[in-house]
Amino acid sequence: MPGNGITARNPEAIKAHNLQFQWPSGQLVLQGCSLTVKPGEFCMLLGNNGSGKSTLLKILGGLLRPQAGEWSIEEPVGFVFQNPDHQLVMPTVGADVAFGLVNEHLSLAEIRNRVDDALEAINLLELKRRPIYALSGGQKQRVAIAGAIATRCHVLLLDEPTALLDPDSQIDLVKRVRDLVKERGLTALWVTHRLVELDYCDRAFLLEAGRVLDEGEPERLKQRLQS
């Protein structure tokens, strides 16, 4: 479990306090990074390249461990990578969504129900038997999200999930995640550098030089970065 003994329930679904992360090369990525996300919030994490956004997300998702600081996250956690080809491992849509359920000791009927429910939630149920290679980039990202939903995750961590998508697919994906947060009571933290995506979140954080420089209303942060 990511973290160091902090129990993550209400009032915070995600909490990071004074995180510090340094690569073996000596490059300091996070220095005193702190933030809190409440249950049911859809928050976005902004910042220039090298500001520490992806590193922070990977720490919260248990993929990296910092040298200092405290953190907690409400489990289960679903992680969506920038490139879905690094995440989708099975030949068909339905098989890939079911892949994360293998170790949950579920009946075949329960697995089928979870897969169908997750695919219906992201409007891809009709593509259940479609080969992964035949999907568009946006559809692949939806399948990755469906895999997380099938595990009944409480928190979604999304690392620039629209980076490789065309503009229409970008907006379509962010709207779907926003709706999932509201419909299913999820908490989501979404890394982005696209200001237009701020129109769909509840709150935003601005990272600079490895720490949260500002946070609050998305429109205010948008105006700050546009000025």
Side-chain angles (χ1 to χ4, degrees), residues 74-114:
E74 187 174 3
E75 296 184 326
V77 177
F79 200 106
V80 178
F81 292 89
Q82 180 182 112
N83 188 342
D85 289 334
H86 296 163
Q87 186 162 5
L88 306 182
V89 298
M90 299 300 285
T92 67
V93 168
D96 201 275
V97 176
F99 181 75
L101 303 176
V102 171
N103 295 322
E104 293 198 23
H105 307 294
L106 302 172
S107 68
L108 289 177
E110 178 62 17
I111 290 174
R112 282 194 295 268
N113 287 339
R114 287 206 189 186

Side-chain angles (χ1 to χ4, degrees), residues 34-36 42-48 53 189-190 192-208 211-227:
S34 301
L35 61 75
T36 298
F42 180 17
C43 293
M44 290 194 175
L45 197 57
L46 296 149
N48 295 328
K53 305 184 302 298
L189 184 59
W190 170 299
T192 187
H193 62 271
R194 293 186 170 94
L195 295 185
V196 66
E197 294 178 357
L198 289 178
D199 294 339
Y200 303 94
C201 70
D202 300 316
R203 202 156 51 91
F205 302 93
L206 175 61
L207 259 68
E208 186 174 300
R211 60 169 58 91
V212 175
L213 183 66
D214 197 358
E215 65 177 275
E217 291 293 326
E219 185 60 31
R220 182 179 64 78
L221 266 65
K222 189 175 180 180
Q223 291 175 358
R224 171 176 179 163
L225 293 170
Q226 289 174 328
S227 60

Side-chain angles (χ1 to χ4, degrees), residues 20-203:
Q20 180 170 313
F21 182 86
Q22 186 173 22
W23 292 112
S25 64
Q27 179 189 2
L28 187 61
V29 183
L30 297 179
Q31 43 186 336
C33 185
S34 301
L35 61 75
T36 298
V37 179
K38 298 176 183 177
E41 277 194 308
F42 180 17
C43 293
M44 290 194 175
L45 197 57
L46 296 149
N48 295 328
N49 289 338
S51 61
K53 305 184 302 298
S54 293
T55 299
L56 173 59
L57 209 70
K58 288 174 181 176
I59 289 172
L60 295 173
L63 303 178
L64 292 174
R65 191 171 185 88
Q67 285 78 26
E70 298 177 329
W71 70 104
S72 64
I73 190 162
E74 187 174 3
E75 296 184 326
V77 177
F79 200 106
V80 178
F81 292 89
Q82 180 182 112
N83 188 342
D85 289 334
H86 296 163
Q87 186 162 5
L88 306 182
V89 298
M90 299 300 285
T92 67
V93 168
D96 201 275
V97 176
F99 181 75
L101 303 176
V102 171
N103 295 322
E104 293 198 23
H105 307 294
L106 302 172
S107 68
L108 289 177
E110 178 62 17
I111 290 174
R112 282 194 295 268
N113 287 339
R114 287 206 189 186
V115 169
D116 288 352
D117 174 66
L119 288 173
E120 187 171 13
I122 48 98
N123 297 327
L124 284 186
L125 184 56
E126 71 279 6
L127 301 185
K128 182 178 178 180
R129 293 178 176 81
R130 180 75 60 87
I132 292 293
Y133 70 81
L135 301 179
S136 68
Q139 288 170 334
K140 287 180 180 179
Q141 284 294 38
R142 284 180 178 238
V143 173
I145 292 170
I149 293 171
T151 65
R152 300 292 195 262
C153 69
H154 292 169
V155 175
L156 268 176
L157 301 175
L158 305 106
D159 190 8
E160 294 198 57
T162 60
L164 304 179
L165 307 184
D166 62 77
D168 288 342
S169 297
Q170 292 166 13
I171 298 304
D172 184 60
L173 189 70
V174 70
K175 285 181 176 179
R176 185 84 290 263
V177 171
R178 176 198 62 186
D179 292 345
L180 285 171
V181 168
K182 304 310 176 188
E183 293 165 2
R184 300 199 168 221
L186 300 176
T187 304
L189 184 59
W190 170 299
V191 169
T192 187
H193 62 271
R194 293 186 170 94
L195 295 185
V196 66
E197 294 178 357
L198 289 178
D199 294 339
Y200 303 94
C201 70
D202 300 316
R203 202 156 51 91

